[in-house]
Amino acid sequence: MTPPTAHAEAAGRHARTPWEELVTAALLGTDRRTPPLTAPGRQAPAALLDAAAVQTVRRRAGLRPAPAADRPAPAPADPRPVVPAAARRRLATLLADHPSASGGRRGTAPDLMELLPQWLALAGDRGFTAPPELLPALLNAARGRTDLRPQALAFAGPRAQWLARFNPDWKFALRAAPGSAPETGPQGQRELQRRWQEGLFAERVTLLATLRAHAPDDARELLSDTWTTERAEDRLMFLDSLRTGLGGADEPFLEQALGDRSRNVRSTAAELLSALPGSALAARMADRAASCVALDRTAGRPELTVEAPHECDAGMERDGVAPKPPAGRGERSWWLGQLVESAPLATWQRRLGDRTPDDIVALPVADGWRGELHAAWCRAAVRQRDTGWSRALLGSPSAPDAAGPGAVSLAERAKLLTTLPAAERAEWVAGFIDAHGLSEAFQLLGVCAVPWAPPLGRAVVDALNIARDAGSYPWSFSGVMGLAERCLDPAEAVRLEALTATPDEPEDASPGAGGYWSEAFQRLVSTLRLRAAMRAELDG
């Protein structure tokens, strides 16, 4: 055995070993980094652990009380009323629900976590604020789900930002929390400049977004003052905030950003400029795109001919055209698509004989360029929020190629739908479901306003009923069922009650399909009733 005095001497040597060196040796491993120890008869790993134990006790025992910190300022007041007591209890239940780790969900119980966004939207619409005691749970939920953050932070109000300063896990609230209109006058301007110059990056993003929503020109001027000193990744984030309130007054600043040393910044500036049909960049892109597409009247009927660019010159690159295509994409078609999507859509009506968008979309396109041309027009219609072109490119929902493989894909149709009014959007998707069923409708349903309009709700329920009676493979409709739970009008619960019984299974039905459909419809009905109860509780 080692004499006690040897242990004491070793302990003394261990106590004199710097903590940082022990940590470094532990992280790298004693095979790669020999710890600065002298421990006769002990292997290096064991000696390292002994030394770390001694140092830990020494560090804890040697701590000196620190001066008391200043008491933090009280949280700012929130003038909005707190939700009623019943709604408060409901929120606590929703926040306490945790998704199952086992994967697929069965049973008839509603999925509470999926109802939380809707509860927050309802509470926000009614002008309520969060109960103070539930703010930590609300911030934890928003930390784990980015889709919750806008509604959760708007509902939590200024207290969420105050609380986030005391917990690094909630720092997202400093960046994403919506703000109020900045103060006006000289004092307000001085405070604005101070916060912009001295704030953390997350706070500056929030400040710029808030100011952009209330005073777009002031936000742009604030950004331009420090633009050349910002990091490239920060410039990209700040530039993206100009999407809010984008207007012609932003053009000079965005034109300047086209010369930025960061490719991503240049690309974003070009995209924003192309969303301004009257900008100089849009005019340049219109000239380039128009030289690539022409109307040929020599054939039996008019058709469009396409001559894609043969090179991507310096001017095109400066205006945001990416010269290198992604894998599997041809260079010329890649350049053509970028030119067409950045050109004002009015260009084509002037160039193609004052035809309407419907007439232009109906024109045949020579040499297989139709898909490329229509896809670029889709991106332009979404970027420019042009409802006329969106309707033309969408076409009739009952058309045979509406579900593919037409010139416009389902993903592109979903984006086009976002430019239409909510009622028209729902009507188009309802017509699509009536004609093509639910198998291709999932991403289209995802862009419809909640709750679904009655025609759309009826179309979804009818299609589910048809699939149930046909004994279809039930799990292929689980995504639509999940959407229906969140998006159907709660009034549909009465109509759905008859579908909760287990149906007789046809001979060619999937095994167990009847039981699954019954279970799924029971869950749907119980979820709709819970949503109705949530609304009643918030209405007091």
Side-chain angles (χ1 to χ4, degrees):
M1 294 180 60
T2 305
T5 54
H7 279 300
E9 291 174 0
R13 285 193 295 272
H14 294 168
R16 290 192 298 272
T17 303
W19 176 257
E20 292 78 7
E21 294 185 23
L22 293 175
V23 172
T24 301
L27 290 173
L28 295 176
T30 55
D31 291 339
R32 298 176 58 192
R33 179 70 171 262
T34 301
L37 305 169
T38 303
R42 302 282 287 171
Q43 296 293 324
L48 178 63
L49 293 175
D50 287 346
V54 172
Q55 278 281 56
T56 298
V57 173
R58 181 176 181 272
R59 285 160 59 87
R60 290 175 178 173
L63 287 176
R64 296 181 179 179
D70 293 336
R71 184 188 295 264
D78 191 334
R80 297 173 298 171
V82 176
V83 292
R88 183 183 309 201
R89 292 190 293 269
R90 179 73 66 190
L91 176 59
T93 302
L94 295 174
L95 291 171
D97 187 65
H98 299 285
S100 171
S102 60
R105 184 168 65 93
R106 293 295 301 269
T108 60
D111 187 349
L112 300 185
M113 278 301 292
E114 290 302 317
L115 292 180
L116 182 57
Q118 193 165 127
W119 190 99
L120 292 171
L122 291 171
D125 290 344
R126 286 156 176 75
F128 288 121
T129 191
E133 71 275 12
L134 293 180
L135 282 175
L138 186 61
L139 286 170
N140 283 334
R143 178 194 177 202
R145 287 181 55 179
T146 56
D147 63 304
L148 283 178
R149 291 180 184 177
Q151 291 174 329
L153 295 175
F155 176 59
R159 292 171 178 167
Q161 285 185 288
W162 178 87
L163 197 58
R165 298 179 187 277
F166 303 100
N167 187 343
D169 289 344
W170 300 333
K171 62 183 179 182
F172 67 87
L174 301 176
R175 177 177 66 254
S180 57
E183 294 183 18
T184 57
Q187 184 174 354
Q189 289 298 319
R190 285 194 295 271
E191 174 63 15
L192 198 65
Q193 288 289 341
R194 186 195 66 78
R195 291 167 61 190
W196 178 248
Q197 297 286 347
E198 302 175 8
L200 300 174
F201 171 69
E203 296 170 317
R204 298 176 77 207
V205 171
T206 300
L207 174 64
L208 192 63
T210 301
L211 187 61
R212 186 69 183 177
H214 298 285
D217 293 343
D218 291 348
R220 186 187 60 255
E221 291 302 320
L222 195 68
L223 178 57
S224 64
D225 288 343
T226 60
W227 179 254
T228 57
T229 63
E230 306 288 356
R231 301 183 305 166
E233 55 268 34
D234 294 352
R235 293 199 304 276
L236 181 62
M237 182 72 77
F238 293 147
L239 190 64
D240 199 62
S241 70
L242 298 188
R243 297 181 190 276
T244 301
L246 182 66
D250 298 316
E251 184 180 357
F253 178 78
L254 292 172
E255 276 283 344
Q256 177 187 353
L258 288 176
D260 196 89
R261 57 186 179 273
S262 166
R263 182 177 61 84
N264 290 332
V265 171
R266 295 195 303 271
S267 177
T268 300
E271 180 188 344
L272 292 173
L273 283 167
S274 68
L276 296 172
S279 68
L281 178 137
R284 295 193 296 269
M285 289 299 199
D287 289 341
R288 294 177 180 125
S291 68
C292 297
V293 181
L295 183 65
D296 183 5
R297 295 184 174 88
T298 61
R301 60 171 180 164
E303 71 173 2
L304 297 177
T305 59
V306 175
E307 180 66 28
H310 290 274
E311 65 172 344
C312 181
D313 59 34
M316 290 168 61
E317 281 198 59
R318 183 184 181 276
D319 284 345
V321 177
K324 186 175 181 181
R329 185 80 179 272
E331 284 185 334
R332 296 182 66 197
S333 65
W334 172 244
W335 300 331
L336 173 73
Q338 294 179 80
L339 295 181
V340 173
E341 74 182 53
S342 300
L345 288 163
T347 299
W348 307 108
Q349 293 171 251
R350 292 192 301 268
R351 179 166 175 76
L352 302 176
D354 291 325
R355 285 175 166 83
T356 66
D358 293 276
D359 293 336
I360 294 172
V361 170
L363 287 170
V365 184
D367 301 325
W369 284 102
R370 182 170 182 261
E372 187 69 50
L373 187 59
H374 282 221
W377 279 338
C378 286
R379 295 191 294 273
V382 173
R383 185 178 297 181
Q384 298 171 35
R385 312 306 294 174
D386 192 306
T387 56
W389 273 86
S390 293
R391 293 186 184 104
L393 291 160
L394 279 166
S396 170
S398 59
D401 66 348
V408 179
S409 69
L410 279 172
E412 288 163 342
R413 292 182 192 276
K415 293 177 182 177
L416 290 169
L417 283 168
T418 63
T419 69
L420 303 183
E424 184 179 354
R425 200 182 315 168
E427 184 179 358
W428 197 96
V429 178
F432 180 94
I433 293 171
D434 289 339
H436 306 286
L438 284 172
S439 58
E440 303 292 342
F442 181 77
Q443 55 188 324
L444 303 180
L445 287 168
V447 301
C448 292
V450 178
W452 288 335
L456 179 56
R458 287 193 295 270
V460 170
V461 171
D462 289 344
L464 288 171
N465 192 18
I466 291 171
R468 166 184 175 269
D469 291 343
S472 300
Y473 190 63
W475 294 273
S476 62
F477 295 94
S478 59
V480 174
M481 270 292 188
L483 277 178
E485 291 174 22
R486 300 189 295 274
C487 303
L488 266 178
D489 191 320
E492 291 287 340
V494 175
R495 184 169 171 234
L496 287 163
E497 186 68 44
L499 303 180
T500 58
T502 304
D504 295 330
E505 295 184 4
E507 292 182 2
D508 58 347
S510 303
Y516 175 89
W517 281 113
S518 174
E519 187 178 87
F521 277 117
Q522 289 179 50
R523 182 169 62 246
L524 179 55
V525 170
S526 62
T527 301
L528 294 179
R529 288 177 175 162
L530 176 56
R531 286 174 51 207
M534 284 166 33
R535 182 170 300 183
E537 290 163 357
L538 285 166
D539 289 337

